[in-house]
Amino acid sequence: IINAVPERDRSFIWIQGNSFFSLLMLDDWAERERSSQQVQDALQAAVANVSGLELYGFNFPSLPGTSPGLPMQLVLTTTASEALIYQVGEKVVDDLRNSGLFTYVTQSLKFDRPQLIVTIDRDKAGEMGVSMRDIGDTLSLLLGEADVGRFSMEDHSYKVIPQAERLSRFNPEDLANYYVRSDTGAMIALDTLVAMEVRAAPNKLSQFQQLNATHIGAMLAPGVTMGEAVNYLEDATARLLPEGFSHDYTGQARQFLEEGGTLAMTFLFSFILIYLVLAAQFESFRDPLIILISVPMSVCGALIPLALGVATMNIYTQIGLVTLIGLISKHGILIVDFANKAQLRGATPFEAVSEAAAVRLRPILMTTAAMVFGVTPLLFATGAGAASRFDIGLVITAGMTVGTLFTLFVVPTLYLYIARRHVAQPA
């Protein structure tokens, strides 16, 4: 596994295998000619040719609070045995590999650990005067790591652990060198009383929410979003999981599901808050609707770069979208406030909004230009965090530009149909 870990102005490439790891520090951002992704791709191409090893690269999540690991982590849970979990997990793994959405898929549960099964021949042991307890105690003593006491030497205390020598505990054939005492006092070779069988056992027994589980990790293919991957996994689990199985997510996938829908709620509450503030300011429930009509148009303009693939929907673009609510609503405030005052001077709604659009054109364009030019440096940012700054700047630039163009035409039109008529009060 290759992890590119950003840390301030430096990054590290973490290379990890089953029995080794290495940490490579990249050059300073100002001195670096390639991005961490390009370095990761080069390392991936180099280690792909190493026979006998499976090495794959992925970036750690840029935001804190997300567990490290493969971006997509699916958990299959059930009360069934590990063997059945492994079979179902392999079906899911094969389906994901054939989907074309993932470059690497692996399952944590594997039956690759040899396990020695010792079966005692009770009849033979009884004929030779050896009890089951004697055989169990012999195996426990020679192969276990029981702490039976301590002794002191040179002011230090040491544990007493009786055990067979290390070289005598490696192979099943070593049981031929173990002896157990019978009732008559004779020493009998242990392999004459037991039968041995080597079976494949699971490498580990994982549990998730108190259920037997296997973790399936995957790396997304280039251009595949987390939402597309999650939707496919939901469809795959519905097709492949038998009765009694359930699934869940961990890591970045779980965070995506838990927090991916917060944008809509955040946007809604922000919209309501600004509406109430404007309603109190203008003492009307109609005028805020006219002002905020520019918000959805601005958001549509901000979504154009995302639809073209220039950026993706992430936490930074979401911040930019929420920011647009306050920025673009100022244009409507300038027009509506001036038009209301013009009506109080005796102008008709059409004359008032026409004058407001003409007089407020310059302040609106200056506000938009100031904001767009203000975030332009974010579009050309380099170094650590450049991608996040680019996303925020792109959304604000596109949203303000498109939203302003529509505001100049839509807000005056809507004002004629919705705005309350203002009449000057007699002195």
Side-chain angles (χ1 to χ4, degrees):
I1 301 172
I2 305 175
N3 295 332
V5 187
E7 183 175 330
R8 294 185 180 178
D9 57 346
R10 288 189 175 270
S11 294
F12 300 90
I13 299 295
W14 180 273
I15 305 177
Q16 179 177 340
N18 291 333
S19 59
F20 70 92
F21 67 89
S22 178
L23 186 65
L24 306 178
M25 184 172 67
L26 303 181
D27 292 336
D28 186 87
W29 278 95
E31 304 173 359
R32 197 178 305 170
E33 298 179 355
R34 295 182 296 174
S35 65
S36 60
Q37 183 63 45
Q38 292 173 326
V39 175
Q40 177 182 312
D41 294 340
L43 285 174
Q44 181 64 64
V47 300
N49 298 324
V50 180
S51 59
L53 295 178
E54 289 187 355
L55 299 176
Y56 295 89
F58 60 90
N59 284 319
F60 269 135
S62 57
L63 294 177
T66 305
S67 60
L70 292 171
M72 179 59 64
Q73 299 182 42
L74 174 69
V75 185
L76 305 183
T77 58
T78 183
T79 56
S81 63
E82 285 78 13
L84 181 57
I85 297 177
Y86 175 76
Q87 295 175 5
V88 175
E90 283 299 298
K91 291 182 180 179
V92 177
V93 169
D94 293 339
D95 185 84
L96 299 184
R97 287 173 178 170
N98 297 328
S99 65
L101 300 178
F102 308 93
T103 58
Y104 170 63
V105 185
T106 184
Q107 181 182 187
S108 63
L109 181 61
K110 300 181 184 297
F111 278 77
D112 56 0
R113 183 169 63 90
Q115 185 179 63
L116 179 63
I117 306 298
V118 178
T119 305
I120 302 175
D121 190 338
R122 297 176 178 269
D123 295 336
K124 184 181 292 186
E127 294 175 358
M128 294 185 176
V130 179
S131 64
M132 303 298 105
R133 180 178 180 179
D134 294 336
I135 297 177
D137 291 344
T138 301
L139 291 175
S140 176
L141 179 65
L142 297 178
L143 299 178
E145 297 181 356
D147 183 2
V148 299
R150 291 177 176 270
F151 71 95
S152 299
M153 184 174 63
E154 298 181 356
D155 297 330
H156 291 278
S157 179
Y158 298 91
K159 294 180 180 180
V160 178
I161 303 177
Q163 193 179 52
E165 293 184 2
R166 184 178 182 184
L167 296 178
S168 301
R169 293 183 279 112
F170 281 167
N171 301 311
E173 294 77 10
D174 292 332
L175 289 182
N177 300 323
Y178 298 172
Y179 291 86
V180 59
R181 190 180 299 277
S182 66
D183 293 342
T184 61
M187 302 298 294
I188 300 175
L190 194 59
D191 63 339
T192 62
L193 303 176
V194 299
M196 295 175 292
E197 179 184 2
V198 178
R199 299 177 184 175
N203 55 342
K204 60 180 180 180
L205 302 178
S206 301
Q207 285 195 333
F208 185 82
Q209 297 180 350
Q210 300 181 349
L211 294 174
N212 297 334
T214 178
H215 295 255
I216 298 178
M219 271 198 322
L220 306 182
V224 178
T225 64
M226 182 66 71
E228 294 173 347
V230 170
N231 291 336
Y232 184 84
L233 282 177
E234 289 294 323
D235 176 70
T237 52
R239 290 186 288 105
L240 300 175
L241 294 187
E243 185 178 357
F245 277 75
S246 60
H247 70 282
D248 206 332
Y249 298 90
T250 60
Q252 298 180 48
R254 187 180 187 90
Q255 187 180 39
F256 172 82
L257 291 173
E258 291 180 348
E259 303 180 6
T262 57
L263 173 62
M265 296 301 299
T266 302
F267 201 90
L268 176 61
F269 282 112
S270 301
F271 194 92
I272 294 176
L273 177 61
I274 294 179
Y275 175 83
L276 295 176
V277 172
L278 292 176
Q281 179 182 351
F282 285 89
E283 298 181 352
S284 170
F285 289 106
R286 297 182 181 183
D287 292 346
L289 292 177
I290 304 171
I291 296 171
L292 295 179
I293 192 61
S294 58
V295 172
M297 294 180 291
S298 176
V299 172
C300 291
L303 295 178
I304 293 177
L306 277 65
L308 296 177
V310 181
T312 61
M313 181 62 72
N314 51 56
I315 184 64
Y316 304 107
T317 53
Q318 292 176 11
I319 292 174
L321 291 175
V322 175
T323 305
L324 282 176
I325 301 178
L327 294 176
I328 202 65
S329 60
K330 183 178 180 181
H331 298 347
I333 293 175
L334 292 175
I335 296 177
V336 172
D337 181 64
F338 189 94
N340 290 344
K341 292 179 180 179
Q343 285 195 62
L344 293 176
R345 294 195 301 267
T348 64
F350 180 80
E351 295 172 346
V353 75
S354 298
E355 183 183 1
V359 174
R360 292 303 191 184
L361 175 62
R362 182 179 178 183
I364 290 175
L365 294 180
M366 290 179 63
T367 302
T368 301
M371 194 64 212
V372 170
F373 283 116
V375 299
T376 297
L378 300 180
L379 300 177
F380 302 98
T382 59
S388 59
R389 294 196 290 270
F390 174 81
D391 289 345
I392 295 178
L394 182 65
V395 168
I396 294 178
T397 300
M400 287 293 294
T401 303
V402 176
T404 299
L405 296 177
F406 280 98
T407 299
L408 296 174
F409 298 97
V410 177
V411 170
T413 302
L414 198 64
Y415 184 88
L416 295 176
Y417 292 96
I418 299 180
R420 180 169 56 92
R421 300 299 181 256
H422 297 268
V423 180
Q425 298 293 332

